[in-house]
Amino acid sequence: MKLCKNEANFCDNFYSRKSFRRFFCAFFLNLVKFCMEIFLDAFDIEQIRKYRPFLRGITTNPLIISKSVDNQSDFYEKLQSILSTFPDLLINLQVTKPDADGMIAEAAKIAEFSPNMIVKIPLTFEGLKAIKEVSKMQIPINGTLCFSLIQAKMAEDSGVKYISPFLGRMEDSGEDIASFVDKLVKSVSGAKILAASIRTARHLEIVTQAKCAAFTCSQSVLDNIFDNNLLVGGLVSFQEANKFSFL
Ligand code: E4P
């Protein structure tokens, strides 16, 4: 379709106006803001490979790692192959020491593995002390084991990049996680809420509705999304009825 001269001039002026450019930038930034980052709770190459196109990174903890390695050298070997196979994924590794000094030393070591490391530090009293120091070292931190708004605020004020509320564990102990995560997202603006301990599709609905910046879950939770009876049944009905192909 050809534009007449007046229309073309109008468009030129409109698109070149500063206000339009500003509007466009704000619109784009909002769009990016609402894209959820997906992490996989895994330390296994095949699991990561399966969901690779959707992933921002992986999250681990000592429980997840113990299930996939037998000893320290096994751990380093696997870490190395994950880093070289997926050079653009963020890798969350958790400190193991209980005291602030130990956590700070471990964080420094973890950060040396790759620029893509995120150091997970539990939001305990010692952990929060450690976070204050580790964030001064410009190391990205995920404040893990978050069960309260005040832990989240303290972590945010201490400079973490992500805060991980453990929603499945909270629900197991009888808490209303929908209300908690909603308050969390509204109270924290200086760090990303990375919803963790996700066990069901309903948990994923809750974190999506609350507009969490990110979530992490195991491969089985993601698999369940696509095992949905309506989804599978719908596809079967289309395939049975189908009489043509575009190829
Ligand atoms: C993620 O960072 C957490 O380690 C993980 O989601 C914990 O899940 P869990 O409560 O099933 O152990």
Side-chain angles (χ1 to χ4, degrees), residues 39-247:
F39 289 82
L40 191 69
D41 253 340
F43 198 62
D44 176 275
I45 297 248
E46 288 319 310
Q47 289 187 19
I48 302 169
R49 201 191 306 280
K50 176 169 180 185
Y51 282 100
R52 169 70 199 94
F54 307 103
L55 297 181
R56 178 76 178 104
I58 61 165
T59 48
T60 67
N61 62 36
L63 269 173
I64 293 171
I65 291 181
S66 315
K67 282 182 199 149
S68 53
V69 304
D70 292 328
N71 51 46
Q72 183 125 352
S73 70
D74 200 7
F75 164 74
Y76 279 115
E77 202 178 303
K78 213 155 192 182
L79 176 63
Q80 193 45 54
S81 58
I82 289 175
L83 287 172
S84 54
T85 315
F86 309 105
D88 52 337
L89 288 188
L90 297 178
I91 312 291
N92 281 259
L93 281 187
Q94 188 166 329
V95 295
T96 66
K97 300 287 182 198
D99 61 298
D101 288 342
M103 292 183 201
I104 295 166
E106 282 190 320
K109 180 100 192 278
I110 291 171
E112 281 173 10
F113 296 150
S114 143
N116 286 353
M117 304 308 300
I118 308 279
V119 178
K120 281 177 75 181
I121 302 184
L123 297 181
T124 56
F125 174 73
E126 289 296 312
L128 281 159
K129 279 202 296 185
I131 286 171
K132 282 202 173 288
E133 297 309 312
V134 175
S135 64
K136 285 182 201 154
M137 297 150 77
Q138 311 299 325
I139 295 173
I141 303 163
N142 175 352
T144 191
L145 287 173
C146 176
F147 298 101
S148 64
L149 293 182
I150 190 66
Q151 273 178 302
K153 281 312 279 178
M154 289 170 83
E156 177 190 23
D157 293 345
S158 304
V160 299
K161 184 178 170 86
Y162 292 97
I163 295 172
S164 293
F166 272 40
L167 301 181
R169 294 190 191 204
M170 287 183 87
E171 192 170 64
D172 290 346
S173 68
E175 307 234 13
D176 175 353
I177 57 169
S179 143
F180 175 71
V181 80
D182 187 53
K183 284 188 230 158
L184 195 55
V185 170
K186 287 179 180 146
S187 319
V188 172
S189 55
K192 294 181 182 182
I193 302 302
L194 194 170
S197 186
I198 300 286
R199 307 215 176 114
T200 62
R202 189 180 64 82
H203 291 167
L204 288 178
E205 301 263 345
I206 289 171
V207 305
T208 307
Q209 196 162 25
K211 296 198 169 76
C212 286
F215 72 85
T216 184
C217 64
S218 64
Q219 184 200 333
S220 62
V221 174
L222 292 179
D223 285 346
N224 280 339
I225 298 173
F226 305 105
D227 282 345
N228 178 303
N229 285 342
L230 293 172
L231 176 61
V232 174
L235 185 66
V236 168
S237 71
F238 292 151
Q239 279 173 337
E240 283 172 357
N242 190 42
K243 294 188 176 132
F244 68 95
S245 152
F246 295 106
L247 295 180

